[in-house]
């Protein structure tokens, strides 16, 4: 993009002054220049980013997210697939992660020369740039596991061809959004407005007129305020959001698959990371063990743990008990690693089921799962149970 000539800028300034209203003032308050990209459109574009500052959010906009907060306490960044509102301050880099973060900063520095080589502390705009850069990488990783690319998702549903939803963002019309709040109260004030519910933990929401997935995140607890803790939590939520969005969110996917995928992608970042949200970690389930892989091997050796015939019919995480978390994670790990193409076909078959009239339908998902498993692998649920346990016994 070429810079606008001076006379045009002057004309725009005059026009803006003539049309002065509260909206441009709010916008100015959102648009502190970023010390890393300096809001330079060429640098942003080269990095796959769109803008800082004012942008749509939920059913409203960035100004509404930051309402009531002191000036400069919020940062916003839009990328190819995301809009992120970031209300947290600086954080220290965990000593054990200094080298890893240094590698990331080195990569980011290639895009934005003002990014430091090494940092013990990350300030808010640098955290946000890192966070969005990582989210885009996780987006690509999850698309790869699902066996899809952006080009597979047309702008609108075509008259013929495979059903891929109704938009470019995994089947949704608009980008994925994260609003990250410093307090539970601010998260509740924001999320209550559209959900009607007052929740303490992260809330994921499908905005249906806009057709987009949104997460309101209260990063108030110590474990979510660290660089790694926030990253693993966002990845967990992103996996849920991308599975929901895939071929458009028309019905809830099977919970074992939904939770298993979220745990797999979260634990790829750190094997002991675990997100247990409000309705998750239900009454019946104890807190899962920190080392899932070790527990999965024990269950495989002893031929213990839940059976797939039961897991495939569970409707919500509140129904999880015993080793359900570990086995959902183990099943998805096994399918993605030992059978990546078939696993992608299975996920694609679960999402976007159509009825006789061509309308997305979530009817008889247990039956659909059994049918797909038979078609793809020739397995019934007991044969899947045997297959994953055999695979873990060799690891
Ligand atoms: Zn910036």
């Amino acid at each position: 993009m070429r810079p606008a000539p001076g006379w045009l800028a002057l004309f725009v300034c005059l026009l803006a002054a003539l049309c002065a209203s509260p909206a441009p003032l709010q916008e100015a308050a959102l648009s502190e220049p970023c010390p890393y990209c300096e809001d330079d459109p060429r640098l942003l574009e080269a990095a796959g980013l769109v803008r800082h500052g004012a942008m749509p959010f939920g059913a409203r906009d960035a100004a509404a997210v930051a309402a009531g907060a002191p000036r400069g306490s919020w940062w916003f960044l839009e990328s190819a697939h995301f809009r992120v509102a970031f209300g947290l301050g600086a954080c220290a880099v965990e000593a054990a992660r200094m080298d890893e973060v240094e590698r990331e900063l080195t990569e980011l520095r290639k895009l934005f020369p003002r990014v430091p080589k090494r940092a013990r502390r990350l300030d808010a705009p640098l955290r946000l740039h890192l966070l969005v850069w990582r989210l885009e990488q996780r987006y690509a990783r999850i698309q790869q596991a699902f066996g899809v690319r952006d080009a597979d998702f047309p702008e609108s549903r075509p008259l013929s061809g495979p059903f891929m939803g109704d938009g470019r963002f995994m089947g949704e019309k608009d980008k994925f959004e994260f609003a990250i709040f410093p307090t539970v109260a601010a998260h509740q004030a924001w999320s209550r407005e559209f959900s009607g519910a007052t929740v303490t933990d992260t809330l994921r929401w499908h905005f249906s007129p806009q057709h987009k997935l949104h997460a309101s995140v209260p990063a108030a607890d110590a474990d979510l305020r660290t660089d790694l803790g926030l990253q693993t939590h966002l990845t967990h939520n992103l996996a849920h959001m991308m599975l929901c969005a895939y071929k458009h969110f028309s019905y809830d996917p099977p919970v074992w698959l939904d939770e298993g995928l979220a745990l797999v992608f979260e634990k790829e970042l750190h094997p002991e990371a675990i997100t247990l949200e409000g309705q998750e970690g239900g009454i019946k389930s104890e807190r899962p063990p920190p080392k899932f892989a070790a527990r999965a091997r024990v269950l495989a050796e002893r031929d213990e743990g839940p059976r797939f015939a039961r897991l495939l019919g569970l409707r919500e995480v509140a129904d999880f008990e015993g080793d359900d978390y570990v086995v959902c994670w183990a099943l998805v790990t096994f399918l993605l690693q030992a059978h990546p193409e078939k696993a992608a076909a299975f996920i694609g078959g679960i999402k976007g089921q159509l009825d006789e009239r061509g309308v997305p339908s979530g009817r008889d998902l247990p039956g659909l799962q059994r049918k797909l498993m038979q078609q793809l692998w020739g397995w019934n649920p007991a044969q899947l149970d045997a297959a994953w346990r055999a695979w873990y016994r060799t690891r």
Side-chain angles (χ1 to χ4, degrees):
M1 194 186 295
R2 279 185 305 157
W7 63 265
L8 183 60
L10 182 66
F11 177 72
V12 170
C13 286
L14 284 171
L15 196 66
L18 285 170
C19 306
S21 69
L25 284 177
Q26 273 185 326
E27 198 164 311
L30 289 170
S31 307
E32 295 280 342
C34 170
Y36 301 100
C37 66
E38 299 174 273
D39 299 12
D40 181 336
R42 285 165 308 172
L43 279 183
L44 287 167
E45 196 185 341
L49 298 171
V50 180
R51 58 182 156 172
H52 280 296
M55 62 186 71
F57 246 94
R60 299 181 66 188
D61 57 19
V65 179
R71 184 187 155 93
S73 56
W74 278 87
W75 290 87
F76 300 86
L77 187 55
E78 178 172 351
S79 65
H81 304 101
F82 296 97
R83 288 189 204 99
V84 178
F86 189 75
L88 307 185
C91 74
V93 177
E94 302 95 313
R97 298 187 62 248
M98 284 293 284
D99 291 344
E100 191 185 335
V101 173
E102 185 179 346
R103 273 195 296 278
E104 292 182 312
L105 291 176
T106 304
E107 288 301 309
L108 203 57
R109 213 173 127 82
K110 293 176 187 164
L111 302 168
F112 305 111
R114 285 173 175 261
V115 167
K117 283 185 186 144
R118 197 172 164 84
R120 290 180 183 281
R121 249 175 109 68
L122 306 170
D123 65 12
L126 186 52
R127 285 186 83 181
L128 178 56
H129 268 289
L130 256 182
L131 187 156
V132 170
W133 183 72
R134 290 163 174 168
L135 278 176
E136 286 289 352
Q137 290 176 353
R138 302 311 286 161
Y139 195 87
R141 163 70 185 112
I142 295 171
Q143 279 199 332
Q144 181 233 344
F146 289 7
V148 295
R149 303 168 298 147
D150 278 354
D152 295 325
F153 300 97
E155 183 92 45
S156 295
R157 184 177 177 179
L159 290 172
S160 61
F163 175 66
M164 294 300 282
D166 199 21
R168 294 191 295 119
F169 301 95
M170 295 297 290
E172 292 286 336
K173 287 275 182 221
D174 204 355
K175 299 186 181 186
F176 293 79
E177 293 178 346
F178 288 94
I180 301 162
F181 292 91
T183 64
V184 173
H187 150 72
Q188 289 176 334
W190 169 253
S191 57
R192 195 187 297 119
E193 198 176 285
F194 53 79
S195 71
T198 303
V199 294
T200 316
D201 297 295
T202 293
L203 179 78
R204 294 184 295 274
W205 195 257
H206 179 241
F207 279 91
S208 52
Q210 296 86 357
H211 295 286
K212 63 179 172 185
L213 271 297
H214 178 99
S216 178
V217 181
D221 292 347
D223 56 343
L224 282 197
R225 283 180 168 266
T226 65
D227 180 54
L228 179 65
L230 183 62
Q231 191 189 164
T232 55
H233 182 71
L234 295 185
T235 291
H236 182 105
N237 281 283
L238 176 62
H240 282 308
M241 290 157 83
M242 286 179 72
L243 183 64
C244 281
Y246 187 19
K247 303 189 187 182
H248 189 266
F249 178 55
S250 305
Y251 53 86
D252 285 321
V255 69
W256 75 268
L257 180 65
D258 199 10
E259 208 52 45
L261 284 165
L263 289 167
V264 163
F265 296 122
E266 179 175 25
K267 285 176 177 292
E268 280 181 357
L269 295 177
H270 193 282
E272 294 186 20
I274 185 159
T275 291
L276 300 170
E277 306 153 68
Q279 34 106 24
E280 300 193 3
I283 312 139
K284 286 180 247 173
S285 67
E286 308 140 36
R287 192 172 171 88
K291 296 187 193 308
F292 272 39
R295 181 66 187 157
R297 268 194 297 277
V298 168
L299 295 174
E301 297 286 351
R302 299 180 186 163
D303 194 20
E304 287 176 357
R307 303 288 134 167
F308 187 62
R310 186 183 128 266
L311 292 177
L312 69 81
L314 292 182
R315 300 179 78 89
E316 46 189 292
V317 179
D319 297 329
F320 274 23
E321 55 186 44
D323 286 305
D324 287 0
Y325 277 108
V326 171
V327 171
C328 290
W329 170 86
L331 277 166
V332 173
T333 301
F334 162 66
L335 294 175
L336 289 182
Q337 290 191 20
H339 303 269
E341 285 89 19
K342 288 178 181 177
F346 181 81
I347 296 166
I350 297 291
K351 293 294 310 205
Q353 174 178 233
L354 302 175
D355 68 12
E356 308 73 34
R357 295 166 302 144
V359 177
S361 161
R363 78 174 168 209
D364 190 21
L365 291 184
L368 176 62
Q369 294 175 73
R370 288 172 185 271
K371 191 181 84 183
L372 287 168
M373 202 134 272
Q374 194 67 49
Q375 281 173 357
L376 289 163
W377 285 277
W379 288 340
N380 61 30
Q383 287 168 314
L384 170 59
D385 285 332
W388 84 255
R389 285 178 173 82
W391 185 75
Y392 268 88
R393 281 196 291 269
T394 65
R395 285 163 64 82

